Amino acid sequence: MMIMNCRSMVEFRAKMGIRWRKVSVQGQGGRRPDAVNRRHPMERPRDRDLQEVFRLIAASKNGLSKAEIVKKTHLRHLAVTDAVRTLVERGFIDITPHTHDELTMDDAVSIIQSRFCVIGLRILPSEVLGVVTNLRCEVLPIGVAGEELTAVKDLPDGGHDVEGVVQAVAELTQQLVDQIPEGYSVLGTGVELGGHIKSGTVVYSPNLQWRDVPLRQRLEEVLHRQLNAEQHARFGPRGSQVIIENDANALAVVSQWFGAGSERTSFALILVGDGIGCGLVINNELVRGFGGMAGEIGHLVIAPENPGLVCRCQKQGCLEAIATIPTILEAIVRAKKANGEDPPATIADAVKLAEKGDKLAEEAFEVAGDALARAISYLLNLVNPEALILETYEPMVTQRLVPIVTKRLRRYCFSTVQKDTDIPQNPAAPERGAKGAAAVMIMELLSQRLPAEQAGRTRHLADPERGL
Ligand SMILES: [Zn+2]
């Protein structure tokens, strides 16, 4: 083998016409590459690691050892140790059985189920639905007899009156606080609703016809004022904090935790209801976008040439003008009336008609499924997620739409995108939205710093009395 010295190497490169540039190391701060990702052991773990470790422990029935967590998450030992230590400090998890303070790789850790809880609320135009969950996001029984899982409060005026909704949500929260089992401390309230949400403000909700409503701030103010001393005492040290989330995002979070999204690093959850939303999880993280508007698939313009399709956002030809539950039902009702036939009263009746082979009903679902597939194909081509979860709160509608969308995606998607995307079943119970809001609140708790962490100090194990 010929070995060239430096000089002959330069001559060789010049002869071959190769030009060289020096690599700039600016921006790396002159650190060695192996030092870039190294954290000080006392620093707080990354939110993403903390959430992944927490979700895994919460989903396991009998607890997990650190060694098992390392194996399942592919995180480094140090990252798992940091995350576990932080969760123990907060009083969220404990070593089982608790015989010593030093954690080893084989010790099992599990969620402490009967210490903390959160409230989850789902705001619809007609009602607010609420649940209380433990930190495993399991719905706790409430009610006078302790037999109910959800509480519902009706909303007048289709939810258009902001202050009326704020008052109703605050009252429902107070009722839920009164019914929380003894011994639990409430860590906060998660609220979900359809629309564009940014940092606690409802920028625009077509469902409720709200614009620029600082909902989190208003709810926190009203709760702070209205909670009585006994109710205040049920909350943890951070008080009655509130978080607001888009409805599809809340469902994506709960699906990532327990549903068809678990065991997947990326998926898109499409929620078809009065509107059409999308929760997008990429590399295990919910993507909200710069302005909180990522995943607004319902307002992709699918049919701009059709003047009859005006969306609630006033644009022409949005997906929502074609494929929401009300627009599907309206299309069938219109067609039936034009044909001199009895129209269906509900979407369930419409599905039954289609199942019996009614051509008009079948056609309406085909049109909606085609529009959905067209919009979803844009998303799949752009993001290439592992799975697509199509969800409605009407299981019969989901069953009707999924085969149509799957078939049409073959026509609209590029290359192998459609074949590569799994479309799993993910049945939606009515309380899942509220449960999703609770899950978002729990995830938010993991992002918040303890006073000790803010001061740069950590403790080895938690003082259970201190909690958060
Ligand atoms: Zn629109």
Side-chain angles (χ1 to χ4, degrees), residues 3 10 29 46 62 86-87 134 145 195 202 288 327 332-333 355 384 389 419 436 443 460 466:
I3 299 171
V10 171
R46 294 187 310 171
N62 304 315
T86 301
L87 294 170
N134 60 19
V202 182
R288 292 188 173 91
T327 52
I332 299 171
V333 168
E355 280 173 354
N384 188 199
I389 303 166
K419 227 168 30 178
M443 288 296 114
H460 206 71
R466 189 184 52 157

Side-chain angles (χ1 to χ4, degrees), residues 366 369-370 373 401-413 418 423:
E366 286 288 334
D370 184 75
L401 286 175
V402 166
I404 301 170
V405 171
T406 308
K407 187 177 72 189
R408 303 280 173 141
L409 281 175
R410 280 184 218 126
R411 186 195 297 178
Y412 297 128
C413 285
Q418 184 273 334
I423 306 183

Side-chain angles (χ1 to χ4, degrees), residues 298-300 311-315 318-320:
H299 301 282
L300 287 181
C311 181
R312 292 180 301 176
C313 75
Q314 305 306 318
K315 283 201 309 253
C318 287
L319 177 63
E320 282 200 5

Side-chain angles (χ1 to χ4, degrees), residues 202-355:
V202 182
V203 180
Y204 178 40
S205 171
N207 291 3
L208 303 170
Q209 297 179 16
W210 290 4
R211 279 189 190 274
D212 297 319
V213 175
L215 185 59
R216 181 174 66 197
Q217 187 193 329
R218 285 295 299 127
L219 273 173
E220 286 183 343
E221 283 167 0
V222 172
L223 281 173
H224 187 71
R225 197 174 60 231
Q226 284 186 194
L227 290 171
N228 61 36
E230 204 176 316
Q231 289 165 340
H232 268 300
R234 297 303 306 269
F235 282 88
R238 288 183 187 275
S240 50
Q241 60 177 332
V242 174
I243 188 159
I244 314 289
E245 186 58 271
N246 167 272
D247 54 356
N249 283 356
L251 279 184
V253 170
V254 84
S255 292
Q256 183 187 21
W257 200 337
F258 300 108
S262 61
E263 315 266 324
R264 300 174 203 269
T265 57
S266 69
F267 67 91
L269 183 143
I270 310 287
L271 174 64
V272 179
D274 289 350
I276 301 173
C278 171
L280 204 51
V281 171
I282 306 289
N283 291 337
N284 281 325
E285 273 190 289
L286 180 69
V287 179
R288 292 188 173 91
F290 173 70
M293 221 179 59
E296 279 296 341
I297 195 170
H299 301 282
L300 287 181
V301 176
I302 301 297
E305 71 288 347
N306 191 332
L309 298 174
V310 179
C311 181
R312 292 180 301 176
C313 75
Q314 305 306 318
K315 283 201 309 253
Q316 194 172 297
C318 287
L319 177 63
E320 282 200 5
I322 308 168
T324 63
I325 301 282
T327 52
I328 296 171
L329 182 58
E330 277 165 28
I332 299 171
V333 168
R334 218 170 24 244
K336 287 297 228 182
K337 281 183 177 171
N339 225 25
E341 298 174 39
D342 286 340
T346 65
I347 193 72
D349 295 339
V351 174
K352 281 176 198 156
L353 277 177
E355 280 173 354

Side-chain angles (χ1 to χ4, degrees), residues 152-212:
V152 180
K153 196 165 184 66
D154 291 336
L155 291 179
D157 306 325
H160 301 332
D161 172 24
V162 173
E163 287 310 310
V165 174
V166 167
Q167 194 54 43
V169 170
E171 285 170 13
L172 186 63
T173 306
Q174 286 178 278
Q175 287 165 12
L176 288 169
V177 171
D178 288 338
Q179 293 172 22
I180 283 167
E182 274 305 308
Y184 280 92
S185 181
V186 194
L187 295 183
T189 303
V191 179
E192 65 98 306
L193 68 156
H196 172 195
I197 315 289
K198 186 183 180 188
S199 307
T201 292
V202 182
V203 180
Y204 178 40
S205 171
N207 291 3
L208 303 170
Q209 297 179 16
W210 290 4
R211 279 189 190 274
D212 297 319

